Amino acid sequence: MNEYVVEMKGIVKNFGQVQAVKHGEFTLKKGEIHSLIGENGAGKSTMMKLLYGMYPIDEGEIIVKGEPMGTITPKIAIEHGVGMVHQEFMLVNELTVLENIILGFEPKKGLTIDFDKARKEVKKYIEQYHMDVQLDKKVSQISVGEAQRVEIIKTLMRGADIIILDEPTSFLDIRYKLEFLSIIQNMSRERNLSVIM
């Protein structure tokens, strides 16, 4: 069996005349926490957005869990267990934390949303990883650190076992940075998650 859950080989991505990625290579092992480090404009975020299917690659190959991906979209990435927490959070301010977490993946009870079931499922993640998340608050009322935890739970709820965190600590103070890194280490250890930061 292949030791890598992600392989990106010979990746090329151009935006008009700008070559954002030139023959990029990246591999990720199961259970590994891997940091991509480089200068602004080096192509780190672009590589990860290619893996998540936000942009099509111009050249190269992306293999997830031994399967060549061909065309990849966010929907296909999610189906293959790849989730992404963006630097700019993808949350709806007017909705509650719980509504944001289940948005697009709502458990049903007949024709209505089963909020009791959703709440129980979300609370499992909150308790397992000791995340301070208030489900009934509107997103507009929570801190940046809590919004990030909401995004992580949202990603886990969609079945991700490969999680991309784009610039995850850039807006956090030192206390939240340490708390965040502790959560990521616990998740990786307990669920054998693969994480890219």
Side-chain angles (χ1 to χ4, degrees):
M1 176 158 168
N2 193 332
E3 65 177 316
Y4 298 114
V5 291
V6 171
E7 295 173 84
M8 300 177 78
K9 301 176 178 180
I11 303 297
V12 173
K13 181 62 187 174
N14 299 309
F15 295 100
Q17 300 299 312
V18 177
Q19 190 164 43
V21 179
K22 181 179 180 180
H23 306 295
E25 303 281 330
F26 177 76
T27 56
L28 180 71
K29 294 179 181 178
K30 181 76 176 162
E32 180 178 32
I33 299 174
H34 193 117
S35 293
L36 286 179
I37 299 169
E39 296 177 11
N40 284 343
K44 305 177 302 293
S45 290
T46 302
M47 280 285 278
M48 294 305 99
K49 288 176 180 175
L50 294 168
L51 173 58
Y52 190 61
M54 293 181 72
Y55 307 131
I57 59 173
D58 295 332
E59 290 178 36
E61 184 178 28
I62 297 175
I63 301 166
V64 176
K65 299 173 187 168
E67 182 180 340
M69 297 307 292
T71 301
I72 186 169
T73 64
K75 183 178 186 298
I76 292 169
I78 290 166
E79 288 169 359
H80 285 81
V82 178
M84 185 166 187
V85 176
H86 302 270
Q87 186 175 10
E88 309 82 26
F89 300 134
M90 304 293 198
L91 300 172
V92 181
N93 282 332
E94 295 74 30
L95 297 180
T96 66
V97 166
L98 179 62
E99 290 165 338
N100 267 280
I101 290 171
I102 64 171
L103 189 62
F105 293 83
E106 302 90 346
K108 301 286 187 187
K109 191 181 206 175
L111 297 175
T112 62
I113 298 171
D114 189 344
F115 281 104
D116 289 337
K117 181 178 181 184
R119 187 176 295 274
K120 283 179 190 161
E121 288 179 19
V122 172
K123 279 190 172 178
K124 286 180 196 169
Y125 292 104
I126 292 171
E127 290 165 8
Q128 184 174 4
Y129 300 117
H130 312 289
M131 292 196 220
D132 181 19
V133 174
Q134 301 169 70
L135 296 179
D136 297 314
K137 274 196 170 181
K138 289 194 184 295
V139 164
S140 59
Q141 300 170 317
I142 65 176
S143 69
V144 173
E146 189 168 351
Q148 188 173 57
R149 293 189 292 273
V150 171
E151 285 280 20
I152 291 168
I153 293 169
K154 190 170 86 170
T155 303
L156 293 171
M157 287 280 293
R158 284 152 179 70
D161 56 5
I162 299 167
I163 299 180
I164 304 163
L165 302 163
D166 189 14
E167 307 254 0
T169 60
S170 57
F171 297 119
L172 301 179
D173 64 28
I174 188 65
R175 182 174 68 92
Y176 282 123
K177 284 179 183 177
L178 294 172
E179 180 184 302
F180 168 78
L181 293 171
S182 175
I183 289 169
I184 297 306
Q185 287 174 326
N186 289 340
M187 283 186 348
S188 178
R189 186 170 51 247
E190 292 176 24
R191 294 176 59 99
N192 207 18
L193 295 177
S194 307
V195 181
I196 308 162
M197 296 198 287

